[in-house]
Amino acid sequence: NAGVTQTPKFRILKIGQSMTLQCTQDMNHNYMYWYRQDPGMGLKLIYYSVGAGITDKGEVPNGYNVSRSTTEDFPLRLELAAPSQTSVYFCASSYSMESHTQYFGPGTRLTVL
Amino acid sequence: GQNIDQPTEMTATEGAIVQINCTYQTSGFNGLFWYQQHAGEAPTFLSYNVLDGLEEKGRFSSFLSRSKGYSYLLLKELQMKDSASYLCAVRDSNYQLIWGAGTKLIIKP
């Protein structure tokens, strides 16, 4: 099993550009999450999904969009990138809401200039 | 508001014992988690506590006191590879994880 994979690993965007961060898991997990991690701050939940076709906002959803058309994939879309979106983005998955473990992807380091 | 507090940085010596504390104030409680994160890598799960007391797993132990809103992670027989950030997280009433900023642990020979 590859677990949770994310692409790209690194990206530099100009202000106002858009991009999609890809996330795929092969563990047949129902729950998937997008977090951002800023230096000196805890992980912040952007969006999460409880299954294909169902998504919901987390703590910091503004400026982002998600979709979940399959169990495996959970892409994160940035529209009109801003410097405040410079961060490391982690995708994670878990079998259920009560699961003890979330499995994280390797992260995408995004810089917006 | 919801808040997780843990020290920013700690230093310890190889072979010694270190205790990393975490205090929390959250809307509801459905478990406390410790994750390890090496620099430039993803967090990986270490331990889970939902009842008061000590959970032991090899060189790592985690303690919880729900009445005090307090947990600690105890690392024994420290090795250089334990140099990492240790993240405390609490699952709130909505079953979402609230994360602390992490404690960077530096191990010296």
Side-chain angles (χ1 to χ4, degrees):
Chain A
N1 284 350
V4 180
T5 56
Q6 291 182 238
T7 57
K9 284 188 168 55
F10 304 92
R11 184 74 185 267
I12 298 175
L13 281 181
K14 294 182 179 178
I15 295 172
Q17 287 185 320
S18 61
M19 75 165 293
T20 299
L21 282 67
Q22 302 291 345
C23 175
T24 300
Q25 54 92 9
D26 63 359
M27 296 175 282
N28 202 32
H29 284 169
N30 293 316
Y31 286 72
M32 296 187 74
Y33 316 84
W34 274 106
Y35 292 97
R36 60 178 288 172
Q37 186 176 38
D38 300 318
M41 306 280 287
L43 289 156
K44 301 291 185 185
L45 182 65
I46 304 171
Y47 271 96
Y48 66 100
S49 170
V50 303
I54 307 170
T55 62
D56 207 348
K57 295 178 181 178
E59 185 180 357
V60 291
N62 290 346
Y64 307 94
N65 278 300
V66 294
S67 59
R68 184 98 181 267
S69 57
T70 67
T71 299
E72 294 78 20
D73 300 307
F74 189 40
L76 177 72
R77 178 83 177 164
L78 278 72
E79 306 280 4
L80 298 174
S84 61
Q85 293 178 304
T86 294
S87 189
V88 180
Y89 292 85
F90 288 103
C91 178
S93 73
S94 65
Y95 179 71
S96 71
M97 186 175 276
E98 294 82 11
S99 295
H100 293 180
T101 307
Q102 289 188 9
Y103 296 88
F104 283 79
T108 295
R109 188 174 296 273
L110 176 68
T111 302
V112 182
L113 300 174
Chain B
Q2 307 202 92
N3 197 47
I4 310 277
D5 285 318
Q6 47 181 134
T8 303
E9 187 175 297
M10 298 182 70
T11 302
T13 304
E14 190 177 15
I17 299 173
V18 71
Q19 177 175 311
I20 302 174
N21 295 326
C22 171
T23 58
Y24 63 89
Q25 288 179 306
T26 56
S27 303
F29 179 86
N30 284 296
L32 185 141
F33 302 79
W34 285 96
Y35 278 74
Q36 181 189 59
Q37 185 178 26
H38 285 101
E41 298 184 7
T44 55
F45 171 78
L46 282 179
S47 70
Y48 168 75
N49 295 71
V50 68
L51 299 176
D52 290 352
L54 189 68
E55 293 284 341
E56 297 185 85
K57 190 186 293 186
R59 293 188 299 114
F60 292 7
S61 304
S62 56
F63 171 83
L64 174 67
S65 169
R66 289 172 296 170
S67 62
K68 295 182 179 178
Y70 168 70
S71 172
Y72 67 73
L73 180 70
L74 192 71
L75 291 74
K76 302 175 185 176
E77 301 170 11
L78 286 169
Q79 303 174 9
M80 297 304 292
K81 67 178 182 179
D82 297 330
S83 292
S85 288
Y86 291 86
L87 314 180
C88 175
V90 172
R91 190 155 58 192
D92 69 8
S93 57
N94 294 321
Y95 275 80
Q96 291 186 8
L97 287 182
I98 309 300
W99 296 80
T103 298
K104 183 178 180 181
L105 178 62
I106 300 168
I107 310 295
K108 295 187 174 180

